[in-house]
Amino acid sequence: MTETTPTTGRSLGRTRAAWLAGAGVVLIALNLRLGISSASALLDALRTDLGFGAAAAATMPALPTLSFAAAGFFTGRIAGRLGAERTVLLALAVLTAGLALRGMPTTWALLGGTVLGMSGLALCNVLLPTLLRAHFPARIVLLTGVYTTVMALGSTLGAAVAVPLAARAGSPSLGLAMWAVPALLAALVWSFVRAPAVRTASSSDAQGTYVSPWAMARTRLGALVTAYFALQALNCYAIIGWLPTMLSEQGMSGGGAGGVLAVSQAVGIPATFLVLAFARAPGRLRLAFVAISAAMLAGFTGLLLAPVALPVAWAVLVGFGLCSFPLVLAVIGNSGSSAAETTALSSLSQSLGYLVAALGPFGVGLLRSASGGWALPMTALLATAAAQLAVGMALSARRR
């Protein structure tokens, strides 16, 4: 018998723990957009079935970003009391409960369940970078690409399957409630994940260092990153929230319109790794910002001028433009002189960014109701996409 058995056992234990944590992160990422894109694809059916008016229809797509902004402010305090792992487990339980509540065929249950579920997602959004730092310190970039890709896959799945799933369930409300099942699965897997036994003593986080997000807000980097995050999230959630409705009103079937949204999300799956790999090379970050914004502007122009002429082409362009999300996450991850500054920058950009982003779907809904068409909302989105390009140019100027 060899003397290395205890060491080998500890190594195998760490490997199993890492695989379990990795599976948990993937399942969390899968759920990050399922409940949002599925509700978007079913918005018209829900409005018909539940009979709510234009105000509720405009509010519904804005609730996820508002919930992300509001709940995100409290994540640090909750995690300080419970720990990151337990906080995520609580968040997944809240998400499951909120999605299940939406199965009740009433407007209050739809709106209340959305707020509850999206508040759970907000905690996961903020804490995922912290979890990657704790469990996979040597693979943060790789795991960031993995979870943003899986998140796009979840958004694609929700958009593509929501309408037929609701038809099989017998109502759009029951169809929405079915998405509580993958959330419950993620919670069950995550319940077995424990905090790493050893945290590096040299880590600034381990030393208790704290940097206020408001201190980062007074820096040029903090202001630009937050502005870019807000604009890309505004454009993203406006499109996710209203694209199926816009195409349906132009004559497409509900399933076809949901399929176009699914295409826009699916494009991000391979494009994420391509964009991140391209932007990592010296001097290419600005080119990545320009390419992403150019695609977004072209896709929005197509949706403005001829939305149902080449809807798949516009979806592909928009989907490539949505790679701005993993790109700005990569910028955040590589910013700051310490882990504490990076965390502060992430908290600032996500909380304030999602608060501003809520204006996207809500504003599009109001402009649609006021003008009676989609020309004015799409023109407004073209303006925000142009602003995103300008901020991206300013942000990348200091990094060339």
Side-chain angles (χ1 to χ4, degrees), residues 29 34 48 53 56 67 72 120 139 157 175 198 208 218 265 278 281 300 367:
L34 276 178
T48 300
S67 301
R139 297 180 176 86
L157 179 66
V198 178
R218 293 190 290 270
Q265 303 302 297
F278 179 83
F300 281 0
L367 290 175

Side-chain angles (χ1 to χ4, degrees), residues 231-295:
L231 287 166
Q232 66 82 26
L234 185 154
N235 291 324
C236 172
Y237 284 96
I239 269 301
I240 290 177
W242 287 107
L243 181 60
T245 300
M246 181 178 68
L247 295 176
S248 295
E249 291 185 358
Q250 300 292 326
M252 290 191 69
S253 66
V260 172
L261 176 61
V263 169
S264 72
Q265 303 302 297
V267 168
I269 297 172
T272 291
F273 285 102
L274 292 175
V275 168
L276 291 179
F278 179 83
R280 288 182 66 183
R284 289 184 177 177
L285 181 61
R286 169 167 279 200
L287 290 176
F289 275 115
V290 171
I292 284 172
S293 290

